[in-house]
Amino acid sequence: MSAPLFLVGPGALPDGTTTVHLDGAEGRHAADVQRLAPGETVLLADGAGRVARCTVTTAHRGALDLAVEELRDEPEPARRLVLVQALAKGERDLLAVESATELDVDEVVPWQADRSIVRWRGERGEKSRRRWQRTAVAATKQSRRARVPHVAEPVGRADLVGRVRGAALTIVLHEEADAALTGVSLPEQGEVLLVVGPEGGVSPDELDALTGAGAQPVRLGRTVLRTSTAGAAALASLHTLGGWR
């Protein structure tokens, strides 16, 4: 089993770090829940690309003392994968965020689509966005990622169209598309947007607006996937096309 990963704050792993005292929520989970003991290996990540491989030297109540064995930096990818995920009822959108994080997405953009039953407004919307952020953090630790994917502010159609115009490539999953996802040519660098609609699908007006801004409609296969699984399936395909990093 691979070593567990815990997140520390930005700047907590500067060059030359040799020891770390892990406390707070992460320290309590490591020491009291996972009951890590001296001699065991732990990974620490600052969520921005720096990872430390450490050995537990002392276990306290609610904290660990760690000896840093190795520090490494994971560079920013030249090609950024961004999931534009439509808001969905239940926890389907949270499942989408979790799977996308495990599949190494770089950013998740909540999309208030025409056919989204859920509506993010005011404090409820901010609370929902924080749930997406917490889901991304938990999935980052589970998948041993060095970077926590950014969860952007929610967008409507106009803002999404503007982002499409600035992207290197935008792919819209649509069950009636003629082109297959496997036939897409990925750019070597820049932002690749993957747009996933809600349970009711992308509306005709949305599809017209997105394709008018340069997006490419594509299909995954013969079956129609849930909004919670479509993004994960497409991300796996994109990684295969572009080479898993």
Side-chain angles (χ1 to χ4, degrees):
M1 182 177 178
S2 58
L5 183 142
F6 299 93
L7 290 171
V8 295
L13 298 172
D15 290 341
T17 301
T18 58
T19 61
V20 175
H21 181 72
L22 183 66
D23 55 10
E26 295 289 80
R28 288 191 296 273
H29 188 77
D32 301 342
V33 178
Q34 296 201 12
R35 296 183 180 277
L36 296 174
E40 295 191 82
T41 300
V42 169
L43 299 176
L44 300 181
D46 67 357
R50 174 157 285 196
V51 179
R53 178 174 290 276
C54 308
T55 301
V56 179
T57 55
T58 308
H60 306 278
R61 182 179 177 84
L64 296 177
D65 289 329
L66 307 169
V68 177
E69 310 293 344
E70 177 190 11
L71 274 176
R72 63 178 175 86
D73 291 299
E74 182 180 286
E76 286 269 16
R79 179 171 57 230
R80 295 185 74 249
L81 297 179
V82 179
L83 173 65
V84 179
Q85 176 64 49
L87 307 186
K89 62 183 180 180
E91 295 192 347
R92 295 198 181 280
D93 46 15
L94 292 177
L95 290 172
V97 173
E98 179 181 64
S99 297
T101 302
E102 293 175 8
L103 284 159
D104 208 17
V105 78
D106 297 297
E107 183 178 354
V108 181
V109 180
W111 176 32
Q112 188 75 71
D114 289 351
R115 293 174 175 170
S116 290
I117 296 174
V118 176
R119 298 286 158 178
W120 283 11
R121 295 187 179 94
E123 177 56 31
R124 177 185 176 183
E126 183 54 34
K127 181 179 178 181
S128 296
R129 181 171 172 268
R130 289 196 295 268
R131 288 184 71 199
W132 282 36
Q133 291 175 319
R134 290 195 297 269
T135 298
V137 166
T140 293
K141 294 193 289 185
Q142 186 279 325
S143 55
R144 278 59 164 182
R145 289 186 51 162
R147 297 180 183 277
V148 178
H150 175 60
V151 177
E153 296 289 337
V155 298
R157 186 192 304 180
D159 288 336
L160 178 55
V161 166
R163 187 140 183 187
V164 169
R165 291 197 176 103
L169 172 68
T170 299
I171 299 164
V172 182
L173 298 186
H174 198 276
E175 66 273 16
E176 296 179 1
D178 294 325
L181 177 60
T182 52
V184 169
S185 296
L186 294 177
E188 292 296 323
Q189 58 185 13
E191 189 169 86
V192 176
L193 300 182
L194 173 64
V195 181
V196 178
E199 292 294 296
V202 178
S203 74
D205 287 347
E206 287 171 329
L207 189 61
D208 287 345
L210 294 173
T211 55
Q216 300 180 27
V218 299
R219 54 179 168 75
L220 279 169
R222 296 182 300 174
T223 60
V224 178
L225 302 183
R226 292 278 195 183
T227 189
S228 54
T229 55
L235 283 168
S237 296
L238 292 176
H239 279 307
T240 301
L241 290 172
W244 286 84
R245 54 198 188 193

